[in-house]
Amino acid sequence: MTSFTEGGLNKRLKELNSSQQSIQTLSLWLIHHRKYAHTVVKIWSKEILTGSESKQLTLMYLANDVIQNSKKKGPEYGLEFGKELAKAFKQISLNNCSSKTRQNLTRLLNIWEERGVYSKTQIDEFKDAFGNETVKNSTDEPPIKKVKHSHNHKPKKTKSQNNGIKKDKEIVIEVDGTKELHVTLSPKTPVNDPPEPEELIKALNDLENAPSCDAVVRERISKLPPEIADVSLLSQLKGKDEGEELLRKVNDAVALLTDYNTRLVCEMEDRKKVSSMLHDFIQSQRDLIDQAEQRLQEYQSKLQKVCQVRQEVNTHLQNLPDLAQLPSVKGGLAPLPSAGDLFTVG
């Protein structure tokens, strides 16, 4: 990676866009240069103060990615961003951000609270700075147009009728300036918020570099001299120098093993989190499969009905008379008798 300079950082922040690839690329670069965390956050804070609403939201997403993915390597970014986030949230709130931006940042705060990224006190401070306004639809936004998927609209079931099953999610998509409401599948069973596929993939990739896979440290441990763990060999010591040398080896071994065991404990916690993420993700996918199969059956049933109607129409068409076989009427039909002809007495 390129070396860190303030000018280089300013350029990267200017070029940053809202795509996931752009955010993750810059996040990895910042994490690599985490010893400059204080300078990075100060420059990031200036960009927040002067940026547009969309830029501010992108910068907040960048901060989230850096904070969460740098925890394993050190607390630098978490501490530095913690000092500036309240100001950032306050500045965004003062700019009268849209309801969509407010919803996205509120969700970000909830994720930080659920995952313990910051303490309850800090989260409350961020929320107070951001304001506790209720998110409402702006009056200048176009009305939402509901897209009907069938003419036979069924009334919504109550909670008791649904047996506690979670309803499909409703997502608003803006198309050509008009907002449309689309219904998408959602997990039926109550699970934790399932991770995004990219988040799960990254967590699995991180485990590839876990301490249990650290061949260098494992080799060092395997080559530790046997006398550091065998008390019976203490009787073979011949003098003070040998005792001090053995003490040094024991201290080095204790430090090595303590550090490695600490890393293994952290790895175990990470694996538990990944296991929980996999469980939630798999469960949500199974629920989506069940719903997709149910939808498929419904549409297959509708297709069969349409095919039956088509067959009946074809049969009806075959039973209609062939106009080509009717007598020719090119010369015209005989004129109808007049009223006088009808009442003429022969």
Side-chain angles (χ1 to χ4, degrees), residues 35-53:
K35 64 180 180 180
Y36 301 102
H38 178 75
T39 302
V40 169
V41 175
K42 287 296 182 184
I43 296 176
W44 172 90
S45 181
K46 291 179 181 178
E47 290 292 325
I48 281 282
L49 295 177
T50 59
S52 62
E53 179 179 329

Side-chain angles (χ1 to χ4, degrees), residues 217-327:
V217 175
R218 294 172 67 89
E219 184 178 2
R220 287 179 59 191
I221 294 175
S222 65
K223 292 182 178 180
L224 289 174
E227 58 268 19
I228 65 172
D230 192 347
V231 180
S232 62
L233 297 180
L234 293 177
S235 58
Q236 300 179 8
L237 295 177
K238 298 179 180 179
K240 181 178 179 181
D241 292 340
E242 291 185 1
E244 290 179 349
E245 178 64 19
L246 177 61
L247 179 61
R248 184 187 64 78
K249 292 180 179 180
V250 170
N251 289 335
D252 291 343
V254 168
L256 175 63
L257 292 170
T258 299
D259 177 69
Y260 190 58
N261 286 335
T262 301
R263 293 171 61 197
L264 288 175
V265 170
C266 294
E267 178 187 344
M268 183 175 65
E269 294 299 323
D270 292 339
R271 290 186 180 275
K272 288 180 180 179
K273 291 180 180 178
V274 172
S275 176
S276 177
M277 291 169 64
L278 283 170
H279 174 271
D280 295 338
F281 184 79
I282 292 173
Q283 184 62 60
S284 66
Q285 294 303 308
R286 285 175 177 170
D287 291 341
L288 293 177
I289 290 174
D290 291 340
Q291 293 186 53
E293 289 178 346
Q294 184 178 358
R295 292 283 180 90
L296 177 60
Q297 292 176 357
E298 293 176 0
Y299 292 136
Q300 285 178 338
S301 176
K302 292 180 180 180
L303 178 61
Q304 290 177 355
K305 294 178 180 178
V306 172
C307 290
Q308 290 176 358
V309 173
R310 183 178 64 179
Q311 184 177 0
E312 292 177 1
V313 170
N314 289 333
T315 302
H316 182 70
L317 288 175
Q318 292 173 1
N319 293 331
L320 290 174
D322 188 356
L323 298 179
Q325 297 180 359
L326 293 176

Side-chain angles (χ1 to χ4, degrees), residues 104-123:
N104 290 332
L105 293 181
T106 299
R107 182 175 182 273
L108 191 63
L109 285 169
N110 292 335
I111 291 175
W112 288 352
E113 187 173 8
E114 292 171 2
R115 298 182 180 179
V117 176
Y118 287 105
S119 65
K120 183 67 167 59
T121 303
Q122 288 176 296
I123 295 295

Side-chain angles (χ1 to χ4, degrees), residues 5-147:
T5 63
E6 292 189 15
L9 175 59
N10 280 315
K11 180 180 178 182
R12 288 172 182 267
L13 290 176
K14 297 294 184 185
E15 296 174 349
L16 179 68
N17 58 61
S18 59
S19 68
Q20 186 174 11
Q21 181 179 0
S22 178
I23 292 173
Q24 288 184 344
T25 300
L26 182 52
S27 174
L28 290 172
W29 187 79
L30 294 177
I31 293 173
H32 179 74
H33 296 290
R34 62 186 180 279
K35 64 180 180 180
Y36 301 102
H38 178 75
T39 302
V40 169
V41 175
K42 287 296 182 184
I43 296 176
W44 172 90
S45 181
K46 291 179 181 178
E47 290 292 325
I48 281 282
L49 295 177
T50 59
S52 62
E53 179 179 329
S54 60
K55 188 70 172 184
Q56 289 174 332
L57 182 60
T58 301
L59 289 170
M60 293 300 291
Y61 284 155
L62 173 66
N64 171 63
D65 197 282
V66 173
I67 293 168
Q68 297 209 53
N69 292 321
S70 66
K71 289 190 297 183
K72 296 179 181 179
K73 296 186 177 181
E76 299 92 344
Y77 276 115
L79 294 174
E80 293 297 334
F81 274 111
K83 301 174 185 177
E84 300 292 334
L85 282 171
K87 299 178 185 177
F89 278 112
K90 185 175 182 180
Q91 180 63 36
I92 296 174
S93 180
L94 291 175
N95 289 344
N96 296 321
C97 61
S98 65
S99 60
K100 182 178 180 180
T101 298
R102 184 170 290 276
Q103 286 176 340
N104 290 332
L105 293 181
T106 299
R107 182 175 182 273
L108 191 63
L109 285 169
N110 292 335
I111 291 175
W112 288 352
E113 187 173 8
E114 292 171 2
R115 298 182 180 179
V117 176
Y118 287 105
S119 65
K120 183 67 167 59
T121 303
Q122 288 176 296
I123 295 295
D124 289 341
E125 180 184 358
F126 300 156
K127 289 182 178 179
D128 290 341
F130 194 39
N132 296 321
E133 300 177 9
T134 303
V135 178
K136 298 180 180 178
N137 291 330
S138 176
T139 55
D140 58 351
E141 292 182 348
I144 295 177
K145 180 177 68 177
K146 293 188 177 180
V147 178

